[in-house]
Amino acid sequence: LDEGVARSQASEVLGRLDRPQQGGVGVQLEAALGGDVEVLVEAAPQIGFLEGVFPACGAPAHVPHSNEKWSPGMCGGLAWSDAPCQVPCQEGFWADGEAYRCNIAGDWEGSPACIP
């Protein structure tokens, strides 16, 4: 996930948390607690990034009959927030199974195959 995109999305979430006129979290808590409670914000939430919390995946297994222009190394370094790694097949073969997807533990999921 690009840091600029992450910061933008985090700022959007923070904005949604503190909109009293639109039923922000404070208003919702007050209502849930019976209306006799006032919720005060003592400190604004902070945005921070934790590096290496969700590790990237290494290269996945080779897929027999994959396109000559594709190699497992092309998927290496992808993380859980990245798009799945599609495996193109050689001419005369069609893709079957799920594309490779890196999970939050840094392990590959999916079982792409090229079928004649």
Side-chain angles (χ1 to χ4, degrees), residues 25-40:
V25 171
V27 172
Q28 292 176 21
L29 278 172
E30 288 172 3
L33 295 172
D36 294 335
V37 176
E38 183 179 1
V39 177
L40 301 174

Side-chain angles (χ1 to χ4, degrees), residues 7-86:
R7 285 190 183 281
S8 173
Q9 290 175 348
S11 294
E12 184 180 321
V13 169
L14 289 176
R16 281 188 266 150
L17 289 175
D18 189 33
R19 290 187 184 150
Q21 69 279 12
Q22 295 177 359
V25 171
V27 172
Q28 292 176 21
L29 278 172
E30 288 172 3
L33 295 172
D36 294 335
V37 176
E38 183 179 1
V39 177
L40 301 174
V41 177
E42 292 199 13
Q46 296 180 10
I47 299 172
F49 293 93
L50 302 174
E51 297 294 328
V53 173
F54 299 117
C57 286
H62 176 74
V63 177
H65 307 292
S66 58
N67 189 294
E68 306 82 34
K69 294 181 181 178
W70 180 84
S71 74
M74 297 171 83
C75 298
L78 294 179
W80 71 274
S81 59
D82 292 314
C85 182
Q86 302 292 334

Side-chain angles (χ1 to χ4, degrees), residues 20 44 58-59 61 88 91 102:
E91 190 172 323
C102 184

